[in-house]
């Protein structure tokens, strides 16, 4: 596909995504009945959050080292969505959640997310600005700065969602030493492989971005999950059709489409 | 849905940048460039705020009643020594760069070496954490592609029928990686749209 074709295809997918998003958000039936693909990692994480709150432990959300503006910031922003829901669950517990990131802008946004979540539940006494902090500016310094948070701050459950490299293994190792659950997901392939080996449960591919929406099933969140599923099928159909087209073309010498 | 002024500005800026991407009109492109350059400046200031916050946390850590961290004074001392020398010599100074990289590079390389041991130990523990077909598929493919990637099979000549099979097998991880990346792209798109339409608003809850 030439650059012009790529731009056209990208724009078409974007328009399709916006259309489906609004169609599903306006669909009244979606408010009544919602069926989603079950993601075992997220179900296990929800159970683990409940246990941590019961035991008076903290939930730690690690947002990775991506920053704003950047191509890899979407996973961290998705993690912020999950942080908001976790803060709302935690307002029932003794200890507020802790968020760490490797970038100043994401750290500021995590503070804002925590502050707003607590104020919307009249639990402003739980807000501590140090609970949304930057622990290092390079990927390795970030990972090493986060290890004491997991080890010393009574963390019972960890959610690792963001842009990571292989250094994510250090976070998983620290969580294992504390017998704390860790659910990991990243937009980077090396981190996904490392998390599969080291984390208790893993989010693969688009599941990483669905964590926030699965935890907070608002109207737009559920619509975005349904749109994501529809677009996945659209892409699968396009790929299968283009493979058939290539096979037919190579066998007959004439393009099928 | 209550929308604040910050949300209106954020959504408007996001829409202008998006429309500028789809329809690259000169006016939209110029405005988008302005917005992006402002974002870079704000991100720089945010990093500074993050560093001040980090130092603040480490200044309090040695005086806490529980979980005192005695490595924090080392971090604070290192930070201020680097900051003062950096301001004095400027970060462009060759000798300053040499000293910093001479510390940072060996430390990070050693961490990578430790990481390989950590991962090896994790693979052994993997048998306890995961069961079934996925575990064996992962392990077999990991071993197989380590062998392929190590160059041990260079003795297999280009004319051997085995080389064709190896070439076919090498496509499998590429296809898998592309599949995951398509998923990541879809997830990024939906996260972006949720932010753009004000459903996720980390800047004002």
């Amino acid at each position: 596909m030439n650059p012009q074709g790529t731009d056209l295809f990208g724009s078409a997918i974007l328009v399709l995504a916006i259309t489906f998003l609004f169609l599903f958000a306006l669909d009244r039936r979606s408010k009544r009945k919602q069926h989603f693909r079950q993601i075992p990692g997220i179900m296990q994480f929800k159970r683990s959050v409940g246990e941590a709150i019961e035991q008076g432990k903290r939930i730690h959300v690690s947002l990775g080292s991506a920053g704003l503006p950047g191509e890899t910031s979407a996973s961290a922003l998705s993690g912020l969505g999950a942080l908001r829901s976790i803060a709302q669950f935690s307002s029932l517990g003794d200890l507020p959640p802790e968020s760490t990131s490797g970038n100043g802008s994401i750290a500021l946004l995590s503070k804002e997310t925590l502050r707003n979540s607590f104020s919307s539940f009249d639990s402003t006494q739980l807000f501590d600005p140090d609970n949304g902090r930057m622990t290092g500016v390079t990927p390795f310094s970030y990972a090493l700065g986060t290890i004491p948070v997991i080890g010393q701050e009574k963390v019972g459950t960890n959610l690792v969602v963001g842009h990571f490299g292989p250094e994510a293994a250090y976070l998983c190792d620290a969580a294992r030493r504390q017998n704390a659950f860790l659910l990991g997901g990243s937009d980077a392939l090396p981190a996904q492989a490392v998390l599969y080996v080291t984390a208790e449960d893993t989010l693969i591919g688009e599941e990483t971005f669905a964590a926030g929406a699965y935890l907070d099933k608002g109207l737009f969140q559920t619509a975005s999950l349904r749109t994501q599923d529809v677009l996945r099928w659209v892409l699968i159909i396009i790929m299968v059709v283009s493979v058939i087209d290539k096979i037919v073309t190579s066998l007959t010498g004439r393009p099928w489409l | 849905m209550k929308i604040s002024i910050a949300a209106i500005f954020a959504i408007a800026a996001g829409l202008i940048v998006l429309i500028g991407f789809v329809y690259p009109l000169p006016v939209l492109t110029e405005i988008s460039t302005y917005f992006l350059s402002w974002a870079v400046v704000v991100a720089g200031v945010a990093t500074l705020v993050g560093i001040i916050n980090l130092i603040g946390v480490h200044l309090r850590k040695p005086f806490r009643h529980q979980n005192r961290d005695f490595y924090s004074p080392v971090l604070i001392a290192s930070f201020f020594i680097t900051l003062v020398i950096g301001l004095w010599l400027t970060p462009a100074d060759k000798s300053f760069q040499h000293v910093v990289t001479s510390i940072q590079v060996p430390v990070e390389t050693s961490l990578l070496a430790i990481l390989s041991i950590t991962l090896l130990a994790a693979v052994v523990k993997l048998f306890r954490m995961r069961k079934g077909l996925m575990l064996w598929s992962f392990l077999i493919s990991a071993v197989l592609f380590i062998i392929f990637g190590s160059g041990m099979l260079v003795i297999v000549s280009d004319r051997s029928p085995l080389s064709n099979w190896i070439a076919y097998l090498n496509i499998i991880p590429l296809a898998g990686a592309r599949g995951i990346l398509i998923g990541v792209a879809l997830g990024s798109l939906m996260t972006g749209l949720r932010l753009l339409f004000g459903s996720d608003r980390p800047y004002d809850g």
Side-chain angles (χ1 to χ4, degrees):
Chain A
M1 205 183 275
N2 57 24
Q4 209 178 354
T6 312
D7 283 354
L8 201 67
F9 183 73
S11 304
I13 292 285
L14 182 67
V15 169
L16 210 61
I18 294 171
T19 311
F20 276 119
L21 190 64
F22 278 98
L23 277 179
F24 288 136
L26 295 171
D27 181 13
R28 287 179 184 274
R29 281 173 305 172
S30 69
K31 289 177 195 169
R32 289 202 300 270
K33 210 171 189 180
Q34 293 157 353
H35 288 294
F36 293 114
R37 188 166 58 95
Q38 301 255 305
I39 301 176
I42 293 180
M43 287 164 67
Q44 179 67 26
F45 176 71
K46 277 184 179 175
R47 274 196 294 273
S48 177
V49 166
E51 284 168 17
I53 292 170
E54 271 178 29
Q55 292 165 5
K57 288 188 173 176
R58 206 188 284 276
I59 298 145
H60 167 236
V61 180
S62 178
L63 298 167
S65 46
L68 289 171
E71 288 167 2
T72 53
S73 57
S75 53
L77 290 168
S78 162
L80 284 173
L83 177 67
R84 186 183 56 194
S85 306
I86 290 164
Q88 286 169 0
F89 297 142
S90 298
S91 58
L92 304 166
D94 302 327
L95 292 172
E98 183 117 25
S99 159
T100 55
S101 56
N103 182 272
S105 47
I106 296 292
L108 283 182
L109 288 177
S110 65
K111 275 185 215 292
E112 269 303 289
T113 302
L114 287 172
R115 191 176 63 82
N116 287 306
S117 296
F118 289 135
S119 64
S120 68
F121 274 75
D122 290 329
S123 313
T124 40
Q125 75 282 357
L126 287 173
F127 176 66
D128 178 355
D130 286 348
N131 287 342
R133 80 175 89 134
M134 186 176 86
T135 53
V137 284
T138 63
F140 271 104
S141 67
Y142 162 63
L144 295 187
T146 307
I147 291 172
V149 176
I150 298 172
Q152 297 171 0
E153 314 247 339
K154 282 187 82 181
V155 170
T157 300
N158 297 275
L159 177 67
V160 172
V161 171
H163 183 72
F164 294 91
E167 74 280 354
Y170 286 121
L171 306 184
C172 300
D173 193 49
R176 193 184 291 137
R177 281 172 204 274
Q178 299 298 316
N179 286 322
F181 176 81
L182 189 141
L183 173 66
S186 176
D187 57 356
L189 290 174
Q192 288 205 359
V194 162
L195 286 168
Y196 184 80
V197 179
T198 51
E200 219 159 314
D201 243 312
T202 326
L203 299 169
I204 305 286
E206 75 276 12
E207 290 175 357
T208 303
F209 300 87
Y214 266 79
L215 293 172
D216 172 19
K217 287 187 176 165
L219 191 66
F220 233 75
Q221 273 83 0
T222 46
S224 78
L225 288 176
R226 288 176 73 187
T227 308
Q228 198 169 299
D229 285 345
V230 169
L231 285 180
R232 195 191 308 118
W233 280 108
V234 168
L235 289 176
I236 288 168
I237 291 165
I238 290 171
M239 278 190 277
V240 169
V241 169
S242 55
V243 166
I244 293 170
D245 179 47
K246 267 205 164 179
I247 292 168
V248 171
T249 309
S250 67
L251 288 175
T252 61
R254 280 185 306 169
W256 179 51
L257 290 173
Chain B
M1 189 166 68
K2 204 175 82 179
I3 293 190
S4 65
I5 295 170
I8 292 167
F9 271 106
I11 293 166
L15 278 173
I16 289 169
V17 174
L18 183 71
I19 296 167
F21 167 74
V22 180
Y23 301 106
L25 301 172
V27 182
L28 290 176
T29 313
E30 203 172 325
I31 297 170
S32 302
T33 313
Y34 269 118
F35 281 152
L36 290 172
S37 52
W38 289 347
V40 171
V41 174
V42 172
V45 176
T47 304
L48 196 65
V49 173
I51 290 169
I52 293 166
N53 179 231
L54 177 71
I55 295 301
V57 170
H58 281 280
L59 277 170
R60 287 189 291 276
K61 268 188 166 184
F63 305 105
R64 287 196 305 202
H65 292 297
Q66 51 183 348
N67 294 328
R68 281 185 190 172
D69 196 342
F70 294 104
Y71 290 113
S72 291
V74 179
L75 182 135
I76 292 159
S78 318
F79 171 76
F80 281 109
I81 290 167
T82 315
L83 181 73
V84 169
I85 297 174
L87 288 173
W88 185 30
L89 296 174
T90 76
D93 185 83
K94 291 279 174 211
S95 52
F96 176 69
Q97 283 178 1
H98 180 69
V99 171
V100 171
T101 50
S102 298
I103 297 166
Q104 195 180 352
V105 172
V107 168
E108 295 209 346
T109 313
S110 315
L111 286 170
L112 263 177
I114 296 167
L115 192 66
S116 63
I117 308 295
T118 309
L119 286 176
L120 197 66
V123 168
V124 176
K125 287 173 189 163
L126 193 66
F127 285 94
R128 269 186 290 161
M129 287 201 304
R130 299 193 204 282
K131 301 264 184 292
L133 187 68
M134 280 298 281
L135 168 71
W136 290 105
S137 313
F138 181 84
L139 288 177
I140 291 167
S141 57
V143 171
L144 208 63
F145 289 105
I146 283 172
I147 295 168
F148 289 166
S150 66
M152 275 195 277
L153 298 175
V154 283
I155 45 165
V156 179
S157 73
D158 288 345
R159 289 180 184 179
S160 157
L162 209 65
S163 64
N164 283 337
W165 278 102
I166 292 169
Y168 279 122
L169 280 173
N170 271 321
I171 295 170
I172 297 171
L174 203 67
R178 281 189 185 176
I180 292 173
L181 287 176
I182 288 171
V184 167
L186 268 184
S188 300
L189 175 68
M190 294 322 298
T191 305
L193 289 180
R194 281 203 302 266
L195 283 155
L196 192 66
F197 295 119
S199 164
D200 284 0
R201 278 178 283 162
Y203 41 86
D204 78 343

